[in-house]
Amino acid sequence: MADAYIIDACRTPRGIGKVGKGSLAEEHPQHLAATVLKAIAERNDLDTADVEDVIWSTSTQKGKQGGDMGRMAALDAGYDIRTSGTTLDRFCGGGITSVNFAAAQVMSGMEDLVVAGGTEMMSYTAQRGREEMQAGLGAAMMGSDNERLQKVHPQSHQGVCGDAIASMEGISREAVDALGLESQKRAARAIEEGRFDKSLIPVVDDEGKVLLDHEEFPRPQTTADGLAALEPSFAKIADVPLNEDGLTFRKLINQKYPDLQIEHVHHAGNSSGVVDGAAAVLLSSKDYADAHGLTPRARVVAMCNMGDDPTLMLNAPVPAAKKVLDRAGMTKDDIDLWEINEAFAVVSEKFQRDLDLDRDTVNVNGGAIALGHPIGATGSILIGTMIDELERQDKQFGLVTMCAAGGMAPAIILERV
């Protein structure tokens, strides 16, 4: 099988995902996608007629985010009309999956040059999500046959799931707060040292005015005392009736785990931030790169997908990491750096505990708690961040994974070239 190489990766800054507060919140999602697609083409002097597909991730494919953003954003970015495009949804995991699908196309020999990535405007989708939640739809089950599926695989609110896992694992409020504080510290250091600068693309409007050229979400002023003073976010949500029968998010979990007493430990300071953003990753075959003077930055070593308990929802990253390591013929000791998305602090905390990892190798530049989590784009952002950091530290192998609604996790191992 042929190798798939990553030539380049870029992303927008992450803007606060609230209308009236975020610098990107008034933009159309397609504009963010077109911004990074245009940048990846210009940075690498691409003949876009050679780009055989744009594989894009967008989780909430409704309204402004509907209509195959991969194709429409490519046209918006000025790509040749022969460049096709498609859009996928693996909830939070889509940004890794888009890259994995692109890599698979190259590795199979079916395509030579592919752009992958993702976009999520949470300033837009958060309101839609609140409306659907109020209609009694579980967080991962919007649009599905909710009543039927909940009887077989009850699925709750992600935050309540995070609290449930922390309760089952004996992970304390102090532990998740400590992880949240460390995420802020590491992100602040990374920003101060310019570690993201290589990949960051300013977002401008149609008149060329800069809308955002820096990370908007981090809160470097965060303190341990400030985190300790925050009320848990999901205690009230857990007991809000979802239908006339009095079903709640807590009861959905207790359908499968009747003896579980959920202690609520997550809040805004140790959970991922609501932001807007987009990212693009350029992949190529070796033959195409050699013929067109492109210099690979990383090689895709192995990829996998993993499912786990949909009721707990967030526990698939550990088995995904083990599976992709096994597929690559590697052990955890072969991995120099790790990126595990901080959807909730317990996800990263459990991942590091279960795999017995050196914490200085995990999310070294902070994570979604400090920087935000634009659902469909985050995986592609993490892949770019990983490549930048492997280069900065002169390291060889990195593993990226993340939880996704429905109890899933994609994973990818990269080798710096």
Side-chain angles (χ1 to χ4, degrees), residues 11 46 53 123 143 153 226 296 383 409:
R11 65 175 179 85
L46 295 182
D53 209 1
S123 55
H153 294 294
I383 287 169

Side-chain angles (χ1 to χ4, degrees), residues 45-75:
D45 195 23
L46 295 182
D47 180 350
T48 58
D50 290 347
V51 178
E52 296 178 275
D53 209 1
V54 171
I55 303 177
W56 216 245
S57 161
T58 303
S59 185
T60 302
Q61 294 181 31
K62 298 179 180 180
K64 293 180 181 180
Q65 293 200 161
D68 190 359
M69 194 183 301
R71 170 62 170 174
M72 298 307 154
L75 293 173

